[in-house]
Amino acid sequence: MNPPSLPGSTQSAEPPEREQSPWGPERRLPESTPAADAATTRAQEARVPVDLGRRKSLNGEKLFRWLTTGSGAAVLVIIVAIAVFLIAKAIPAIQGDKVNFLTEKTWQVPDRVFGVAALAFGTVYTAVIALIIAVPVALGIALCLSHYAHRTVATTLGFVIDLLAAVPSIVFGLWGREYLIDPVRDLSAWLHKYFGWIPIFGSDGPYGKSILLGSLVLAIMILPIITALSREVFQQTPKMNEEAALALGATKWEMIRTAVLPYGRPGLIAATILGLGRALGETIALAMTLGGTFVISWDVVEVGGNTIAANIANHFGEADDFGRGALIASGLVLFAITLVVNVTARVIIYRRREFRSAL
Amino acid sequence: MTTISTPGIGTDLRGRRLPKWAPWAIAAGAAVLSYLAIYLGGLLDGGWVLTAVVAVLLYLVLLAAVATGVEGSRAARNRVATSLIYSAFVLALLPLLSVVYTLVSKGVSRIDADFFTHSMNGITAFDANGGAYHAMIGTLEQVGLAALISVPLGVAAAVYIVEYGRGKLATAIRFFVDVMTGIPSIIAGLFVLAFYVFGMYKFFNHGQGGYSGFAASLALVVLMLPTVTRSCEEMLRLVPDALREGSYALGIAKWKTVMRVVLPTALPGIVTGVMLAVARAAGETAPVLLVSGGFNSINFNPFSGNQSSLAIYIWDQAGAASQYAPARAWSAALTLVAFVLTLTIVAKLLARRSKLK
């Protein structure tokens, strides 16, 4: 296990006593000091403690190290560049806006009166409704795949769910607009008739391209993603915990409630937030299924609804240079929202190392 | 399962259980009751959908009541939870099956030779023909260029994270690669719009901004880079340290060890990750829509002039005011899904054959 110590090495990460006594680690154990311990740990962390190519002045090692570090740094550069370029293009548009960009609801770019309030509200509202629909169902499927269904069935269906996560969003948008819209129209009328006393079903029409339709399509789209993530998390539950619960006489559901769900809770929260991130940024499917109005309304059945991303897709074609700046300004707001959401999810995942490979 | 029967002892330790047929009987009863009340009785204006929903709810309520009476509340809760989990499963499969069915049944109508060999050049709203040849070229070129840029960059970044990265920079890169996977695709489009289409491109085009297929590739790079890096990173971590140590013991330099030992070992996994990233990029609509411009004729040159792609083609045709457009949109959607799913399936099968698990 001891790495070779070459004469060419100028800076060795090993503790010095190893060179004097080449007998194996157990002889050194009693005299290990904190400093030596730290050095050993460092040597174990570094996969190669001895830099093998240090003598040559210009060598492949240095070049390779440079190339890989540069590529890694490119990711940071891109994130910063996205923020910088969006801000640079957004500032002239926001300065040219006659009203407050953050509180104005309408989007009348030619009159220089536009704001992101209704769009940001619609973005969050639609995504949250989609999550409320999708998360319980996704949890059910994930549990079914990880703990209930037969292994062969679970593997096959898990594969199918993964495939569905790969279906492009425009296909879901097309399906929602051409097919789902009629059932949703009927459903809206029915909901209004029997549950019209609840404010969100209060509108008496017209029905069709509504927040309900958009959220349903969105829910169906994020369902495979949340399912795949939470299934991975559930499958990582230690078998010992499950068997211990069963040995104490728990029913299967009690075992899931006491062993599986508590263990997977951070992973589930992270999966939900990642799903929220996807839902917030979804563009084309919502551009095809929402009504595209500029009002803040809690009503889900009436024709209407809009999101930042859908508005960009719908209004990009007709926009001039200033209009594009305005759309980019609204995109900046979306970027900020999704950045906060994603960073939150990642911080939760980083607290539990074992989930990182799954999510 | 959870209860233990002890042979030889006179008393049965198991509690009272519902017979196996009981849940089926309850299900049948709930279905009949719901059918009579909702479908025939017209309660709540019900159609067959409402009948099914009410039948499931009735089943759950009846099952809970019967099971509580016979087996006790814990077993009843277990039964209801199991039923709910299975019904969530069926509930989710329905729309997904519907998507697949609609896609195939509506999509096949325009899958013909014309569709794969012609563009939309000169096709008016009254023409039933016209194809997506130009769009397929666009998709292939844009995704191919994006892969050419993002794969070396992503693999190198993953090598840095796994083999070289120490300290704060590596942690920051790892974290932001993860964060970047969640960036909305339209933001990538807006970024390239500001950075390239109305920025860098002016240097090559006499001060004029302009759309191009390459701009779409750049947007896709922003989306693919974190995906490629993440999957490659996972694969590199799976390579056993013994292989690296064996190479070092032979006096091989670190970079050669990475190039000759680590990367070849991880290759099948990396290919899988790249294919999944390509499949995802091929279906992206929003960023491509913003920066490639869309075009009705064939343009082989991705570096200059507007270019279409399958996703944009679907978007255009879905919004076009022609009675023939929806059929073209569905056929293009079917083509796109077939392409994406083939890539995904091949990638997943490759992953299963990989030795690293």
Side-chain angles (χ1 to χ4, degrees), chain B residues 169-353:
Chain B
L169 179 66
T171 317
I173 290 176
R174 238 163 51 108
F175 186 76
F176 278 102
V177 165
D178 282 351
V179 169
M180 209 173 151
T181 53
I183 287 184
S185 56
I186 191 130
I187 298 295
L190 288 177
F191 163 62
V192 172
L193 189 75
F195 164 73
Y196 184 79
V197 173
F198 293 102
M200 295 279 286
Y201 190 70
K202 289 182 178 171
F203 294 116
F204 323 125
N205 198 30
H206 317 294
Q208 287 285 307
Y211 304 108
S212 65
F214 184 64
S217 303
L218 287 180
L220 296 180
V221 166
V222 175
L223 298 172
M224 283 174 75
L225 185 60
T227 327
V228 172
T229 309
R230 264 308 301 277
S231 59
C232 186
E233 185 196 331
E234 295 293 330
M235 284 303 135
L236 292 181
R237 281 190 200 286
L238 290 179
V239 175
D241 273 351
L243 286 180
R244 295 187 179 90
E245 284 157 6
S247 173
Y248 299 148
L250 293 172
I252 314 286
K254 185 164 186 178
W255 73 280
K256 273 198 178 161
T257 306
V258 171
M259 292 299 284
R260 297 282 179 80
V261 178
V262 178
L263 284 178
T265 314
L267 190 66
I270 296 174
V271 171
T272 301
V274 168
M275 288 174 79
L276 289 179
V278 166
R280 205 185 134 197
E284 286 292 352
T285 316
V288 182
L289 183 74
L290 297 192
V291 298
S292 88
F295 199 38
N296 277 341
S297 313
I298 299 166
N299 176 11
F300 279 105
N301 184 359
F303 295 98
S304 135
N306 291 13
Q307 204 177 31
S308 189
S309 85
L310 272 175
I312 297 185
Y313 183 81
I314 301 170
W315 167 259
D316 274 349
Q317 294 301 317
S322 158
Q323 55 164 321
Y324 304 109
R328 285 194 284 260
W330 280 111
S331 293
L334 184 59
T335 315
L336 182 60
V337 169
F339 177 66
V340 168
L341 287 194
T342 311
L343 268 179
T344 313
I345 291 173
V346 172
K348 299 255 171 193
L349 292 180
L350 253 177
R352 281 192 187 179
R353 292 184 56 182

Side-chain angles (χ1 to χ4, degrees), chain A residues 7 61 95 135-136 180 244 253-254 311 351:
Chain A
E61 183 63 42
Q95 280 172 344
V135 168
L180 192 64
W253 170 242
E254 283 164 345
N311 183 56
R351 286 206 192 130

Side-chain angles (χ1 to χ4, degrees), chain A residues 4-346:
Chain A
S5 145
L6 295 189
S9 68
T10 50
Q11 186 187 41
S12 171
E14 302 168 46
E17 61 260 39
R18 185 175 288 186
E19 282 170 19
Q20 295 153 11
S21 63
W23 282 291
E26 64 277 354
R27 285 206 73 160
R28 292 189 289 110
L29 268 181
E31 64 227 58
S32 80
T33 59
D37 276 349
T40 322
T41 324
R42 233 181 294 129
Q44 281 162 355
E45 273 174 11
R47 288 224 164 81
V48 54
V50 183
D51 200 337
L52 294 167
R54 188 103 4 133
R55 266 210 216 139
K56 302 175 208 159
S57 55
L58 182 79
N59 54 26
E61 183 63 42
K62 252 185 194 162
L63 192 70
F64 194 69
R65 209 191 168 102
W66 252 94
L67 274 176
T68 54
T69 313
S71 307
V75 173
L76 297 183
V77 173
I78 289 176
I79 292 243
V80 173
I82 290 175
V84 168
F85 275 91
L86 291 190
I87 291 172
K89 287 273 172 179
I91 285 175
I94 294 177
Q95 280 172 344
D97 196 353
K98 286 181 186 156
V99 288
N100 188 335
F101 181 71
L102 290 177
T103 54
E104 173 62 33
K105 289 183 238 170
T106 57
W107 195 265
Q108 303 291 337
V109 173
D111 305 338
R112 299 293 188 264
V113 174
F114 55 91
V116 83
L119 296 173
F121 169 81
T123 305
V124 177
Y125 189 46
T126 315
V128 167
I129 294 179
L131 270 191
I132 291 173
I133 301 171
V135 168
V137 181
L139 282 189
I141 310 172
L143 279 177
C144 192
L145 290 178
S146 67
H147 285 88
Y148 280 85
H150 187 268
R151 185 174 289 266
T152 334
V153 180
T155 318
T156 321
L157 286 173
F159 190 71
V160 172
I161 300 257
D162 284 351
L163 288 188
L164 286 165
V167 171
S169 62
I170 188 155
V171 176
F172 284 105
L174 196 61
W175 175 77
R177 177 162 135 170
E178 301 268 318
Y179 176 80
L180 192 64
I181 190 162
D182 293 327
V184 165
R185 211 176 265 134
D186 297 342
L187 176 66
S188 303
W190 186 83
L191 282 172
H192 174 66
K193 185 169 172 189
Y194 291 98
F195 298 97
W197 45 272
I198 304 175
I200 60 170
F201 303 129
S203 163
D204 50 3
Y207 306 122
K209 283 177 151 193
S210 58
I211 293 180
L212 184 63
L213 178 64
S215 304
L216 275 174
V217 171
L218 200 52
I220 294 167
M221 288 177 60
I222 59 175
L223 192 68
I225 300 157
I226 302 181
T227 305
L229 295 179
S230 32
R231 186 194 56 192
E232 292 280 331
V233 169
F234 289 149
Q235 279 172 346
Q236 287 181 11
T237 316
K239 271 277 164 296
M240 297 294 252
N241 295 11
E242 294 177 11
E243 282 161 9
L246 292 177
L248 289 172
T251 62
K252 189 156 193 176
W253 170 242
E254 283 164 345
M255 179 273 281
I256 288 184
R257 237 187 43 214
T258 54
V260 178
L261 291 183
Y263 176 82
R265 184 166 298 131
L268 288 184
I269 294 171
T272 308
I273 301 178
L274 288 180
L276 177 66
R278 274 288 175 88
L280 288 172
E282 178 47 48
T283 308
I284 290 297
L286 288 179
M288 293 173 91
T289 52
L290 289 180
T293 51
F294 292 92
V295 287
I296 292 183
S297 157
W298 296 95
D299 194 292
V300 298
V301 292
E302 192 179 13
V303 166
N306 213 341
T307 71
I308 293 177
N311 183 56
I312 295 173
N314 279 328
H315 287 258
F316 180 75
E318 72 215 31
D320 57 359
D321 203 38
F322 185 84
R324 277 193 291 269
L327 291 175
I328 286 176
S330 72
L332 190 62
V333 176
L334 176 65
F335 183 58
I337 296 175
T338 50
L339 210 57
V340 170
V341 168
N342 277 303
V343 167
T344 314
R346 289 302 165 185

